[in-house]
Amino acid sequence: MQKLISILVLIITLHASTPRATSLANNKDVLQNFGEVKTLLSKMTLEEKVGQMTQITVNILESQNDLTNIPNRANVLDPKKLQNYIYEHKIGSVMHELSNGKQDLAEWNKIISDLQDYAKKTRLQIPIVFGIDNIHGAGYLRGATIFPHNIGLAATRNLELCYDCAKVTAKETRATGATWNFGPVCGIGRQPLWGRFYETFGEDVFIGSQFVGSTVRGYQDKSIDNSNSVAACIKHFIGFSNSISGWNKTPSYIPDIQLREYYFPQFRSGINAGAKTAMISFNELDGIPISASKYLIETVLRDELGFDGLILSDWEAILMLHTEHGIAVSEKDAVRIGILAGIDMCQVPWNVDFYYNLIELVNEGNVPISRIDEAVTRILKLKYEMGLFENPYPIDEVKENYKKPEYKTIAYNTAAESLTLLKNNNKILPLKKGIKIFLAGPAANNKSSLHGGWTFTWQGKNESLYPESIPTIKDVLEEYIGKENVICNSIRDYDAKENFSLKNIKNSDVVILCLGENAYSGTPGFINDLTLDKKQIELVKKVSKFGKPIITVLVEGRPRIINEIEPLMEAVLMAYIPGEKGAEAIVKSLFGENNPSGLLPFTYPAFNGRIMFYDFKGTESGVFWDSAGNEFQFGYEPQWAFGHGLSYSDFVISDLTIDKNELKRDDSLLVTVKVKNVGIVTGKKSVELYTHDHYATITPSKKRLRAFKKILLKPGEEKIVNFKIRANDIKFVGSELEWIVEEGDFDIIIADMKKVFKYVFN
Ligand code: BGC
């Protein structure tokens, strides 16, 4: 039915409807500390203030700091360097990473204590705030628990697990003495060429927002001054995940409507959850580097989105305004532009040039002292909120939070729920014990591919750093079905040549191929082509000649195209980057001890030239005829669609109902659906609710995800799942860049069922 195009447009305020839950808002202590901040600020010299705004890497303080050659030695800080940077330059913040990648808790504690010792020697004894990228568990701490990367978390559709992983991460991070975690990534995952795609929660803005909120709550809890919490850092503001080329740090061009509808909500969700800090990205957006944009930082991030915490630059992002972006005539000019745009702290991080440049800029009158005071106030406030003025050292009681056995259970459950069964011809899975398996593929006997980037080192690729106690897929499989039943020649080197003989494959019942990608991050993770590399494609073809059923496990941080070889596979299990319990979760899933329940958080494309998303527009699909009358279909035809994921249970979703046909502005619509497990094993199912706006002033998507609920069903069990849909759930960004809802007809879509309701203002 034709929609009443709105004259009466409901404007939903740009500030989200949920109250902002910053601990600042309801914490008297913080306000009291705010007074202390003022007093402290009044005592500070310009040098002391600028020192606070400077963040360096701990690497330059080490006695030996050759990152490329990781020797077998402890990480030790050099007293002369500490004296220079911390005491003489009064640097206020230090970040990782340590050079040998082998640091245990004692080593971390010593390092952070050494830093604080030197801070204590300074005139005002302002503690150091230490920041780190523990983005999937405390990945830089030996013995800590490593969880799946965000892309796998999104596949679980389980926000409690996401919260639990973040909570454990916070506890183990805090145990080291670090109090600031550079996460979560809030960028949307719509550029699979990007080497950091796996750090996103995938292509959907609703899922992204929900998981960002849970992560921030898990990191920060109710306040950040206790043993269970660290400050979160929502990053990277803004548009970093979606450069045109996919190459790291390159230009993004995002229209304003899209920016507000697809890119801001994840940040807003992090802000609503109370995120204390935010990181400004390296990239330019529509020709302006974000680090230089007062409009994006002040007008948008602060005023429009309501962020009132500390703003940190990304690594060398201010310097880049001169060296790469070409908008600042000198390094000093870059500092002027970045600080005037609203950056409070600069991740320099290799030297003190920023410090000297900023002091000069203030002395020359090119940066007002008021801007410096504002930035330093936020930095000191954060340190007070973290409790660092009371005790800057790693706290003994907190150290007990480290390495608890229950963390491993959370890691297993999360990995297990993330696994997504993409294909299962003739129900070949689950496998039965007692068969012989030929196991091959680069990820079969390798740990780094299961962990990905940001594990022990930035690239996460150094196999020798992974503890013996963490098993590979081969290790777990051998233990699970007996060594004698696993034929595998893979060595612990991802790039090693596969070395197997025809005879071996003939002796097996089933072939399991573990394919995908080794660990990577950032620029080194860029690829020119999404297609899985030739070597692995050839491996599948070669193995397929032996006529044994092929089961593929994909260990990869983004969809690598496999359309050519997919028909050769009987089953495909997507593992993403599952972390330290990944191997166990994979093997148990293959044998049915875990029933896969993950759903794809992105569209798995079939072709490089057709990167589409599930919420495509009307013109993106259809039929046409050429002059000879031949019909061509075009549209959303991925290898596997967003939200796809099979189970060993059989679920029947039926009886979609809505409690009324008209939804009014302040009312809600009750949607119910029945879900029954008609299979023979217990399983979990995420029920996903989409809407479709029939007609709107901005072209509507075919469908948009608005809600999901994951339930557990025993064989034969049936449950009713309810959702409440409100005006807020069907809003979109209109031509005036405001969130609006227009009157008219909407579909509610669950599984293959649809109901229509009309939205009316009154
Ligand atoms: C990354 C950030 C990270 C920072 C500190 C940068 O290269 O873009 O995400 O937090 O380094 O390690």
Side-chain angles (χ1 to χ4, degrees):
M1 190 201 271
Q2 180 66 42
K3 173 176 193 135
L4 279 177
I5 300 294
S6 62
I7 303 172
L8 290 159
V9 173
L10 167 63
I11 296 176
I12 297 182
T13 160
L14 278 169
H15 292 273
S17 52
T18 23
R20 290 182 54 212
T22 57
S23 49
L24 172 69
N26 46 25
N27 188 338
K28 277 193 204 134
D29 294 347
V30 174
L31 293 177
Q32 204 178 315
N33 288 337
F34 205 39
E36 290 182 36
V37 167
K38 267 189 159 172
T39 316
L40 182 54
L41 188 74
S42 68
K43 295 183 193 154
M44 291 170 81
T45 62
L46 175 61
E47 286 72 15
E48 282 163 339
K49 290 176 182 173
V50 171
Q52 287 301 309
M53 295 170 70
T54 309
Q55 185 179 71
I56 55 168
T57 165
V58 68
N59 196 226
I60 54 171
L61 301 173
E62 288 185 77
S63 306
Q64 288 173 284
N65 57 4
D66 181 2
L67 273 171
T68 55
N69 173 21
I70 294 170
N72 195 8
R73 57 162 172 78
N75 295 286
V76 177
L77 300 189
D78 181 336
K80 280 199 203 103
K81 294 177 184 170
L82 283 164
Q83 176 75 14
N84 175 23
Y85 287 97
I86 309 298
Y87 180 76
E88 276 156 31
H89 290 91
K90 303 151 195 82
I91 299 300
S93 182
V94 180
M95 56 168 297
H96 70 129
E97 76 183 61
L98 291 164
S99 62
N100 81 11
K102 287 189 169 175
Q103 50 284 346
D104 60 14
L105 190 65
E107 215 169 295
W108 268 121
N109 289 165
K110 168 88 174 78
I111 284 187
I112 290 182
S113 300
D114 284 353
L115 289 168
Q116 303 296 12
D117 282 348
Y118 277 80
K120 276 248 180 235
K121 290 188 195 171
T122 59
R123 189 177 73 96
L124 295 171
Q125 303 186 358
I126 300 174
I128 299 282
V129 55
F130 195 95
I132 194 159
D133 291 89
N134 279 337
I135 59 168
H136 63 135
Y140 286 90
L141 168 64
R142 284 189 91 67
T145 300
I146 315 290
F147 300 107
H149 270 289
N150 287 349
I151 198 72
L153 283 183
T156 67
R157 303 292 205 267
N158 187 331
L159 293 167
E160 278 170 38
L161 283 176
C162 171
Y163 175 89
D164 290 347
C165 294
K167 184 84 274 154
V168 172
T169 304
K171 288 179 176 176
E172 296 204 316
T173 301
R174 190 95 194 195
T176 63
T179 51
W180 188 6
N181 201 11
F182 300 145
V185 162
C186 300
I188 196 165
R190 291 189 171 220
Q191 174 47 289
L193 291 171
W194 191 42
R196 303 181 67 174
F197 180 88
Y198 63 83
E199 294 180 47
T200 75
F201 293 105
E203 80 188 38
D204 182 61
V205 62
F206 176 73
I207 290 182
S209 304
Q210 297 287 309
F211 278 82
V212 162
S214 283
T215 307
V216 171
R217 279 186 282 274
Y219 285 166
Q220 294 194 168
D221 220 317
K222 289 190 186 66
S223 80
I224 53 168
D225 67 350
N226 66 57
S227 53
N228 298 327
S229 353
V230 289
C233 184
I234 47 176
K235 70 183 187 184
H236 314 77
F237 191 79
I238 183 93
F240 182 45
S241 61
N242 264 69
S243 69
I244 293 287
S245 67
W247 190 261
N248 205 30
K249 308 185 191 177
T250 56
S252 300
Y253 298 93
I254 306 172
D256 275 344
I257 288 183
Q258 257 194 42
L259 196 62
R260 282 176 168 71
E261 189 152 332
Y262 288 88
Y263 293 79
F264 289 173
Q266 294 87 323
F267 283 91
R268 196 192 297 278
S269 169
I271 294 166
N272 288 341
K276 294 286 175 192
T277 75
M279 188 185 285
I280 301 300
S281 55
F282 307 104
N283 60 294
E284 62 176 80
L285 176 64
D286 303 340
I288 300 176
I290 322 291
S291 309
S293 173
K294 193 171 164 121
Y295 166 71
L296 285 168
I297 297 176
E298 294 286 342
T299 312
V300 176
L301 181 57
R302 289 217 184 274
D303 301 344
E304 185 173 328
L305 299 178
F307 179 70
D308 62 5
L310 182 146
I311 291 184
L312 173 71
S313 81
D314 203 343
W315 179 284
E316 288 186 343
I318 289 187
L319 181 65
M320 271 176 74
L321 298 176
H322 169 62
T323 55
E324 291 176 59
H325 287 301
I327 66 152
V329 295
S330 62
E331 289 185 13
K332 186 165 147 189
D333 196 34
V335 172
R336 180 186 63 80
I337 294 171
I339 296 303
L340 290 181
I343 290 172
D344 299 318
M345 185 187 280
C346 175
Q347 196 168 88
V348 182
W350 290 114
N351 53 46
V352 281
D353 294 353
F354 165 85
Y355 169 93
Y356 286 112
N357 281 326
L358 188 51
I359 290 170
E360 271 181 36
L361 285 162
V362 177
N363 286 335
E364 291 159 2
N366 289 320
V367 170
I369 191 71
S370 55
R371 177 72 265 276
I372 304 293
D373 285 349
E374 179 189 54
V376 177
T377 300
R378 290 201 188 100
I379 295 164
L380 296 178
K381 189 159 131 318
L382 182 76
K383 292 183 176 185
Y384 269 112
E385 288 178 314
M386 286 170 167
L388 290 174
F389 281 95
E390 263 168 58
N391 181 11
Y393 293 100
I395 311 161
D396 279 341
E397 131 220 342
V398 176
K399 291 181 210 160
E400 286 165 19
N401 275 340
Y402 167 60
K403 240 183 177 175
K404 290 201 170 159
E406 60 261 35
Y407 301 167
K408 304 294 172 197
T409 310
I410 296 170
Y412 173 77
N413 290 341
T414 311
E417 284 207 26
S418 73
L419 297 182
T420 306
L421 186 59
L422 297 176
K423 178 174 182 180
N424 194 13
N425 276 2
N426 306 314
K427 298 202 169 176
I428 186 169
L429 294 178
L431 300 170
K432 295 197 177 53
K433 285 191 180 173
I435 53 170
K436 262 206 164 23
I437 289 178
F438 178 83
L439 176 70
N445 194 15
N446 174 270
K447 300 185 187 183
S448 46
S449 53
L450 293 169
H451 291 74
W454 309 101
T455 319
F456 303 118
T457 59
W458 174 44
Q459 292 299 308
K461 223 174 175 167
N462 189 334
E463 196 67 13
S464 71
L465 290 176
Y466 287 84
E468 269 312 302
S469 58
I470 296 180
T472 65
I473 297 174
K474 174 176 184 270
D475 297 335
V476 179
L477 190 63
E478 286 180 346
E479 210 189 311
Y480 203 76
I481 61 167
K483 228 176 172 156
E484 64 290 359
N485 294 317
V486 181
I487 308 161
C488 180
N489 292 331
S490 310
I491 54 166
R492 294 252 318 259
D493 174 359
Y494 196 91
D495 301 314
K497 196 166 178 303
E498 294 278 334
N499 175 22
F500 53 83
S501 73
L502 183 143
K503 203 173 118 227
N504 283 342
I505 301 180
K506 279 188 170 162
N507 289 340
S508 70
D509 299 298
V510 160
V511 173
I512 296 179
L513 294 181
C514 302
L515 311 176
E517 305 180 312
N518 199 0
Y520 54 83
S521 180
T523 305
F526 176 79
I527 41 177
N528 290 312
D529 187 342
L530 272 182
T531 311
L532 192 66
D533 61 78
K534 276 202 188 107
K535 204 167 117 189
Q536 297 191 64
I537 290 181
E538 287 315 310
L539 172 70
V540 177
K541 286 185 182 168
K542 198 164 150 192
V543 169
S544 74
K545 302 250 161 62
F546 303 115
K548 302 288 178 182
I550 297 178
I551 292 158
T552 299
V553 177
L554 293 173
V555 181
E556 57 187 21
R558 56 192 155 193
R560 299 302 298 263
I561 289 171
I562 54 169
N563 65 346
E564 191 189 343
I565 49 174
E566 181 270 340
L568 306 175
M569 303 165 179
E570 289 302 300
V572 180
L573 183 69
M574 176 64 164
Y576 311 96
I577 306 180
E580 69 168 85
K581 289 289 178 181
E584 186 184 335
I586 289 166
V587 172
K588 287 187 172 166
S589 299
L590 293 174
F591 284 88
E593 198 177 324
N594 172 58
N595 185 356
S597 64
L599 299 182
L600 275 179
F602 52 78
T603 299
Y604 204 117
F607 304 101
N608 268 304
R610 200 160 332 158
I611 307 299
M612 277 178 79
F613 309 107
Y614 84 91
D615 48 2
F616 60 91
K617 301 289 187 85
T619 50
E620 291 183 87
S621 75
V623 183
F624 71 91
W625 292 268
D626 67 10
S627 48
N630 300 313
E631 183 182 297
F632 293 92
Q633 303 265 357
F634 66 99
Y636 186 67
E637 286 162 7
Q639 189 75 57
W640 291 290
F642 169 85
H644 174 71
L646 306 169
S647 164
Y648 298 148
S649 309
D650 295 305
F651 298 106
V652 175
I653 306 184
S654 66
D655 298 287
L656 173 65
T657 65
I658 51 178
D659 68 338
K660 49 179 98 65
N661 296 323
E662 257 187 23
L663 173 65
K664 293 198 176 118
R665 194 189 331 229
D666 299 320
D667 203 358
S668 63
L669 188 75
L670 181 67
V671 181
T672 63
V673 79
K674 278 187 190 156
V675 189
K676 185 166 184 177
N677 181 355
V678 297
I680 51 168
V681 287
T682 298
K684 283 189 171 181
K685 175 80 186 159
S686 175
V687 183
E688 319 231 302
L689 184 154
Y690 296 86
T691 64
H692 166 61
D693 193 345
H694 289 195
Y695 298 96
T697 48
I698 301 294
T699 56
S701 292
K702 282 290 177 189
K703 57 180 191 174
R704 292 289 300 271
L705 184 68
R706 304 303 188 185
F708 58 84
K709 265 188 194 166
K710 195 168 188 179
I711 53 168
L712 176 81
L713 289 172
K714 296 197 192 94
E717 194 181 2
E718 181 174 81
K719 279 186 185 161
I720 292 185
V721 179
N722 297 317
F723 297 98
K724 265 196 178 159
I725 295 297
R726 297 182 179 81
N728 208 34
D729 298 313
I730 52 170
K731 67 188 179 183
F732 62 94
V733 176
S735 52
E736 301 298 315
L737 303 184
E738 285 158 335
W739 285 96
I740 57 173
V741 186
E742 293 171 347
E743 289 194 318
D745 288 351
F746 289 79
D747 294 328
I748 291 276
I749 307 164
I750 297 182
D752 55 358
M753 293 168 293
K754 221 183 243 184
K755 286 272 174 205
V756 181
F757 74 90
K758 185 184 289 298
Y759 177 74
V760 289
F761 295 140
N762 292 301

